[in-house]
Amino acid sequence: LDRFAEARAAEGVRVVILLIPQLRELASRGPGVVAEKAPRALAWAAKHPNVEVIDAYPALLERMDPVRHRIYYGDNHPNAQGHQLIAEALFDDLLAILEAPTP
């Protein structure tokens, strides 16, 4: 990943890492994915000015129903409507990153 981020930085390209919680994480209503599950991703991203990390947990916690938006009972993946909610939740964050000056 270091080589990837460095090569993209040399090209003036931003790298965006989206941390999307599993539906069971939304059901538990515990701490967000970044706080709980991804300290290594944040530490790695901090070393690369062209890398942004977006935690989708707070936005999805308000929008997604872990039962209604799953593919089928017992599965942990969102259905089509769940994917649409993810896209809507992340759109503003992604737009802000893309519109900001390149580091």
Side-chain angles (χ1 to χ4, degrees):
L1 281 178
D2 288 328
R3 287 192 312 228
F4 176 78
E6 291 161 7
R8 301 303 69 83
E11 297 167 348
V13 174
R14 286 195 174 92
V15 176
V16 179
I17 298 173
L18 301 175
L19 300 175
I20 301 173
Q22 294 184 359
L23 293 178
R24 69 173 157 251
E25 291 174 306
L26 293 174
S28 72
R29 304 189 69 79
V33 175
V34 168
E36 235 358 77
K37 304 280 183 184
R40 285 182 20 195
L42 290 174
W44 177 82
K47 298 178 196 174
H48 303 281
N50 66 314
V51 175
E52 302 278 347
V53 177
I54 297 174
D55 179 11
Y57 181 85
L60 296 179
L61 186 61
E62 297 174 9
R63 297 174 185 195
M64 286 186 78
D65 178 327
V67 174
R68 195 176 89 211
H69 294 122
R70 67 180 170 205
I71 294 176
Y72 58 86
Y73 178 78
D75 190 63
N76 211 14
H77 296 87
N79 59 22
Q81 187 179 21
H83 278 98
Q84 180 66 36
L85 292 172
I86 292 168
E88 291 169 4
L90 299 176
F91 179 79
D92 290 336
D93 289 334
L94 287 171
L95 189 61
I97 289 169
L98 294 173
E99 291 178 340
T102 304

